[in-house]
Amino acid sequence: MPLKLLASLPLLDPQTLDAQADAAVRGLLREGSSANTASSYRAAIRYWTAWFELRYGRMFALPVPEAAVIQFVVDHAQRSTDHGLKWELPLALDRELVRLKAKGRLGAPSLNTLLQRLSVLSKAHELHGHPNPCRSATVRELLSKTRRAYARRGVAPARKEALTREPLQAMLDTCDDTLRGKRDRALLLFAWASGGRRRSEVVRATMENTQRTPDGYLYTMAQSKTNQAGAARADDQKPILGAAALALDGWLAASGIRQGPIFRRVRRGGVIGEPLAAAAVRDIVLERCELAGLDGAFSAHSLRSGFVTEAGRRNIPLGDTMAMTGHASVATVMGYFRAGSALQSPAARLLDDPQDSHL
């Protein structure tokens, strides 16, 4: 028997969400997403909107027809022809997308960008409860063959270069004894030596979750990309030892920070300002790379990939490396790990075996 309802309580339709509940859902989704993720999603949807409305002359709305998703792929994916690489996006439409600032420059996007925009559209359909055209057999087969076509041309999804020990040291050498220099040194070493922390994880470090120990510090991660719910895990604590601990000591002593976020803006005149945003970590990495004269496509993620690559170089067990980085997938981390250990592989030195010295 149904429970007796309060007379003043409005009845809801169990098949739909009312406006207040829908707004609450959107609020939770926004709050639970990183600023960087939210920004990239907005940019992808802006591009989809501009492309769709220019291509079809009608308002963009979900669900997107499967044929439109296929058209999007062939408009942006390059394919080999007798006359070189070609894609189907008309030049006039491409120019208009640039004029509208939906894209930065003329030409086909990278494979990474194409796949990311499709991923965002797929996510949007799922979140709104629409049938997902990106998961149709035809679209999945087309994307599989597209990836294979790019791979055969030697074009793999782009990865930022890894900041291993040598380039990292060059960046650290640019950090002087000013407040900004001390902060940047501490930040770079904190991010790298604690397992290659992501930008969002670096800016969430506080005096309350980073405890001093006799050997250094322990940073306790309450939440991360692979632990969105913040569940307690055995490897939540990341050690910060040696040079990284000394650099952090130096920054905290010079800045006078005793509580709250550790890494903050340094204003003119040596005034400690507000906590750094995640984008500021990227800017610091790029600035120090430039000052160090490093050539290459580096980003904040280069600290993470650099840690894993360096661990591979030194033959650190994969399990120990993953306990530091927090990677949930062995497949994800193995690419960098193998790249680092490749030159140390005994199998590459079979001709150097002392027993075969006569060769």
Side-chain angles (χ1 to χ4, degrees), residues 39-299:
S39 176
S40 69
Y41 277 25
R42 285 194 297 270
I45 292 299
R46 281 198 303 270
Y47 186 87
W48 268 102
T49 300
W51 172 84
F52 188 92
E53 294 181 2
L54 289 170
R55 200 63 158 130
Y56 295 102
R58 63 179 67 178
M59 295 292 291
F60 173 82
L62 300 180
V64 174
E66 180 183 319
V69 175
I70 294 172
Q71 185 67 54
F72 187 87
V73 174
V74 299
D75 269 5
H76 298 88
Q78 294 176 308
R79 68 183 191 278
S80 298
T81 72
D82 293 339
H83 303 288
L85 293 176
K86 183 180 178 181
W87 59 97
E88 294 302 311
L89 189 70
L91 180 58
L93 196 156
D94 199 14
R95 285 174 174 160
E96 186 64 9
L97 288 168
V98 172
R99 189 190 70 80
L100 293 172
K101 298 184 178 179
K103 62 184 299 192
R105 57 182 176 81
L106 295 174
S110 69
L111 179 59
N112 274 9
T113 299
L114 171 58
L115 296 177
Q116 188 265 350
R117 286 172 179 162
L118 289 164
S119 175
V120 170
L121 185 74
S122 176
K123 187 73 171 180
H125 280 81
E126 291 178 353
L127 287 176
H128 288 84
H130 295 300
N132 190 347
C134 301
R135 293 193 178 276
S136 74
T138 302
V139 171
R140 286 188 286 116
E141 179 70 8
L142 176 61
L143 289 178
S144 174
K145 292 298 191 292
T146 299
R147 290 190 185 93
R148 188 176 302 177
Y150 272 70
R152 285 178 174 174
R153 295 199 298 268
V155 180
R159 279 184 172 179
K160 296 296 184 181
E161 294 188 41
L163 283 168
T164 51
R165 183 175 182 176
E166 293 82 2
L168 176 66
Q169 187 58 57
M171 294 167 65
L172 296 173
D173 289 343
T174 72
C175 299
D176 56 22
D177 286 331
T178 63
L179 267 177
R180 286 190 74 248
K182 288 178 181 292
R183 180 202 64 191
D184 290 0
R185 171 181 284 274
L187 184 150
L188 291 170
L189 283 169
F190 178 99
W192 196 91
S194 64
R197 301 274 59 84
R198 300 177 179 89
R199 293 182 299 168
S200 59
E201 295 165 357
V202 172
V203 298
R204 283 202 295 265
T206 67
M207 294 300 295
E208 290 73 26
N209 62 23
T210 308
Q211 302 297 319
R212 194 67 171 90
T213 72
D215 298 319
Y217 291 85
L218 278 178
Y219 168 45
T220 302
M221 291 176 52
Q223 190 260 358
S224 68
K225 183 177 180 180
T226 55
N227 184 16
Q228 300 282 359
R233 293 181 175 178
D235 58 354
D236 285 345
Q237 293 187 320
K238 309 299 179 182
I240 302 152
L241 309 173
L246 292 175
L248 189 53
D249 281 338
W251 161 242
L252 293 176
S255 65
I257 294 172
R258 296 291 180 269
Q259 61 183 10
I262 290 175
F263 298 110
R264 309 188 191 190
R265 183 177 177 184
V266 178
R267 297 184 177 275
R268 188 173 299 176
V271 177
I272 303 300
E274 66 273 17
L276 292 181
V281 178
R282 174 201 60 210
D283 294 341
I284 289 169
V285 170
L286 294 179
E287 179 185 3
R288 292 298 172 181
C289 283
E290 183 177 355
L291 289 173
L294 298 179
D295 294 325
F298 295 105
S299 70

Side-chain angles (χ1 to χ4, degrees), residues 17 19-34 38:
L17 284 176
Q20 183 175 346
D22 185 63
V25 169
R26 294 175 186 275
L28 288 169
L29 290 173
R30 284 194 302 272
E31 187 177 356
S33 300
S34 73

